[in-house]
Amino acid sequence: MTTMESLIGLVNRIQRACTMLGDYGGGDNTFSSLWEALPSVAVVGGQSSGKSSVLESTVGRDFLPRGSGIVTRRPLVLQLHKTEQGSQEYAEFLHLPKRRFTDFAAVRKEIQDETDRVTGKTKQISPVPIHLSIYSPNVVNLTLIDLPGLTKVAVEGQPESIVEDIEAMVRTYVEKPNCIILAISPANQDIATSDAIKLAREVDPSGERTFGVLTKLDLMDKGTNALDVLEGRSYRLQHPWVGIVNRSQADINKNVDMIIARRKEREYFATSPDYGHLANKMGSEYLAKLLSKHLESVIRARIPSITSLINKSIDELESEMDHLGRPIAVDAGAQLYTILELCRAFDRIFKEHLEGGRPGGDRIYGVFDHQLPAALRKLPFDRHLSMQNVRKIVSEADGYQPHLIAPEQGYRRLIEGSLNYFRGPAEASVDAVHFVLKELVRKSIGETQELKRFPTLQAEIAAASNEALERFRDESKKTVIRLVDMESSYLTVDFFRRLPQEIEKAGGPAAAAASSGGDRYSEGHFRRIGSNVSSYIGMVSDTLRNTIPKAVVYCQVKEAKQSLLNHFYTLLGKKEAKQLSQLLDEDPALMERRQQCSKRLELYKAARDEIDSVSWAR
């Protein structure tokens, strides 16, 4: 195989691999970019311009649907692969990858049936391409894209927008800078009215990408010829015009062999008085070779950019493979090691959230700095220590015997009743921190890239973590309630011993006498009792405001940092090999993604090696 055939064959293989991996026309941006970086040939022409005949002559096989009106209703991406002489010709469709067609009449029927599957048996069109590969010793390596014929009016059964729709579809192909335009025009019509030339002039005004093909030369009126066009006088292109003689309808009806049709075409030009001097530059065989030679030069110019794109893609895919992870070992020891590594990766991210490397841990501080103080300020001490309630509680505590000096039982009941209110904020702080920790577990699992492969293990880690957090929460609640109960169980006596002295200093002997019970049931007396209890409760509130966060951090946050998965590790050590394997049951979508990445990586590396070998052979 020549260097030229190697280059074009390589491009064909890369393009086919792209389509087999489902990337042509969208999906993976890298593969779409690669496809667009590779040159291809779009066949453009009006309806009944002879597009099908040109393609069949190039292939050497009669395989395209024929008829009146719009026959090509979906783009046909036709990849020709040259095989060794004497090998059997066959065709393959991308949508039927395991089936080889050796009967080209069946190929024609499948094109029609596949078109109907998408568009229905109507005259509608679709931009979804059909991908067909033909392997034959009688072709050159080429990728040709057969597009619906340009039309000027809608016929019955077609929407009014059909003219614009077809042109828009064709433009999506021919506007790409690496697309070679094969503009088909019938010789028996004025070139000035050619739809293909008109469109090519708009998207390729310099004519660098356009090859003009003149069909139906044998159907021109007697005494006329197309030399002005073929010799570039009527409309000049940078590439030479090529004339084609299509098979006659009688030949088509008789199923005349395409090899015979090619011979007849050669004889026509060789014996033509008008075109005989151009015979060596006319015909479908010459056109295929001309396109193949041009493709070689285009590909050679693109090699550096293609190589750069492939190398960049290889780096990206290898990075993605590292994220997706390599296949899992089958022995239990290796599986246990993998699970422990995954757990440690999750635990590391969870700690980063708590310690400030990642966001979220600051919300725990918010519980202590905002929520707890706000909850303490909202406690209903004003109502509980109102004069009316103080009078009621003190009187009930005295019973039938009024207190002599200070209502100690009344004080104790008022304080105990006040301290009970602290239970609510204390438990609420525990629950708030528990909620934050659960949310951080959820986020950490989601941010652990290595875990994305294993939904079952994710669920197990989440369940084990939340179970541990529940235990930490229960212990934390017991501790903060114990702190509140400790305040209730023993009152700070010195606080109350200092009260008479402070009153005496403030008001002298009269105030001291009053505090001794001279006005035990007066309004001022009860107000002083409420004020004294409020001062004590304020002191306790300040204490709890500091000790509750300490208890919560010690029982919940610190435990979560140090032993979140300890119980889970213990259970892992007792699991059988089958159970470990179930934990590493991967997400099918990720398995598919890894398989796709692996195929792409293999393709890119093979393409890089082939390009390198072809480049060195130049």
Side-chain angles (χ1 to χ4, degrees), residues 514-566:
S515 68
S516 300
D519 54 351
R520 288 190 295 272
Y521 291 98
S522 69
E523 183 175 321
H525 180 62
F526 289 118
R527 185 175 291 112
R528 279 193 299 275
I529 293 173
S531 177
N532 292 340
V533 172
S534 179
S535 296
Y536 183 79
I537 294 302
M539 182 187 71
V540 172
S541 180
D542 291 339
T543 300
L544 292 177
R545 181 175 172 176
N546 292 320
T547 56
I548 287 174
K550 291 177 184 292
V552 170
V553 168
Y554 182 81
C555 295
Q556 290 176 267
V557 181
K558 185 180 176 183
E559 284 297 308
K561 282 175 59 178
Q562 293 181 347
S563 58
L564 183 65
L565 293 178
N566 282 3

Side-chain angles (χ1 to χ4, degrees), residues 30 309 311-321 601:
T30 304
L309 179 58
N311 286 333
K312 177 175 177 288
S313 303
I314 287 173
D315 291 341
E316 292 174 352
L317 284 170
E318 286 183 335
S319 176
E320 183 171 3
M321 286 292 288
L601 194 55

Side-chain angles (χ1 to χ4, degrees), residues 372-498:
L372 176 60
L376 293 176
R377 286 193 298 269
K378 291 179 182 178
L379 292 177
F381 293 131
D382 290 345
R383 186 175 67 250
H384 183 69
L385 297 177
S386 65
M387 189 178 65
Q388 180 180 359
N389 198 50
V390 170
R391 182 194 300 273
K392 176 176 176 294
I393 290 175
V394 170
S395 299
E396 289 175 353
D398 283 348
Y400 75 92
Q401 178 67 56
H403 60 271
L404 298 177
I405 299 175
E408 181 173 327
Q409 291 302 320
Y411 267 111
R412 290 187 179 279
R413 291 188 183 184
L414 284 169
I415 291 172
E416 289 173 359
S418 297
L419 291 177
N420 281 332
Y421 286 117
F422 287 112
R423 288 173 173 262
E427 292 183 329
S429 297
V430 171
D431 289 334
V433 171
H434 177 75
F435 177 81
V436 173
L437 292 174
K438 282 186 66 175
E439 182 64 16
L440 293 183
V441 164
R442 186 191 65 79
K443 288 185 66 177
S444 299
I445 290 174
E447 293 171 8
T448 306
Q449 291 294 328
E450 301 91 331
L451 271 178
K452 291 184 183 297
R453 299 169 58 185
F454 310 109
T456 302
L457 183 57
Q458 286 184 48
E460 288 290 329
I461 289 177
S465 299
N466 290 332
E467 183 180 334
L469 292 179
E470 293 284 349
R471 292 197 305 272
F472 303 154
R473 179 179 66 174
D474 292 345
E475 186 60 34
S476 185
K477 278 192 176 181
K478 291 177 183 176
T479 302
V480 296
I481 294 302
R482 189 176 293 119
L483 288 175
V484 174
D485 290 344
M486 286 165 58
E487 294 292 344
S488 300
S489 64
Y490 184 79
L491 305 184
T492 306
V493 179
D494 287 345
F495 176 86
F496 293 98
R497 285 176 176 169
R498 287 197 300 271

Side-chain angles (χ1 to χ4, degrees), residues 180-200:
I180 297 167
I181 304 168
L182 197 61
I184 311 294
S185 302
N188 56 356
Q189 294 180 13
D190 190 343
I191 195 67
T193 64
S194 169
D195 296 316
I197 292 297
K198 176 178 177 293
L199 182 59

Side-chain angles (χ1 to χ4, degrees), residues 216-343:
K216 304 185 181 182
L217 289 169
D218 56 329
L219 299 182
M220 295 185 70
D221 293 337
K222 288 185 178 181
T224 63
N225 61 51
L227 285 177
D228 282 349
V229 176
L230 293 174
E231 293 179 344
R233 291 190 294 274
S234 293
Y235 185 78
R236 180 174 292 277
L237 294 171
Q238 291 203 20
H239 304 288
W241 283 81
V242 179
I244 298 289
V245 173
N246 303 332
R247 286 183 301 164
S248 66
Q249 189 60 49
D251 287 343
I252 294 172
N253 293 339
K254 294 176 184 177
N255 293 321
V256 172
D257 184 84
M258 195 64 68
I259 303 301
I260 297 174
R262 283 181 178 179
R263 188 177 68 245
K264 285 184 176 182
E265 184 184 45
R266 289 195 299 269
E267 291 172 354
Y268 172 84
F269 285 112
T271 59
S272 170
D274 294 321
Y275 310 117
H277 65 294
L278 299 174
N280 64 332
K281 295 182 179 180
M282 295 288 120
S284 55
E285 289 180 287
Y286 174 77
L287 175 63
K289 292 175 182 177
L290 180 67
L291 289 174
S292 185
K293 185 176 181 180
H294 180 71
L295 273 176
E296 180 200 11
S297 65
V298 172
I299 294 168
R300 285 189 187 280
R302 299 282 190 276
I303 280 179
S305 61
I306 292 172
T307 302
S308 176
L309 179 58
I310 286 176
N311 286 333
K312 177 175 177 288
S313 303
I314 287 173
D315 291 341
E316 292 174 352
L317 284 170
E318 286 183 335
S319 176
E320 183 171 3
M321 286 292 288
D322 288 339
H323 277 299
L324 293 173
R326 306 295 171 176
I328 299 302
V330 294
D331 62 287
Q335 288 178 342
L336 178 60
Y337 177 81
T338 299
I339 293 172
L340 292 175
E341 284 293 301
L342 293 169
C343 290

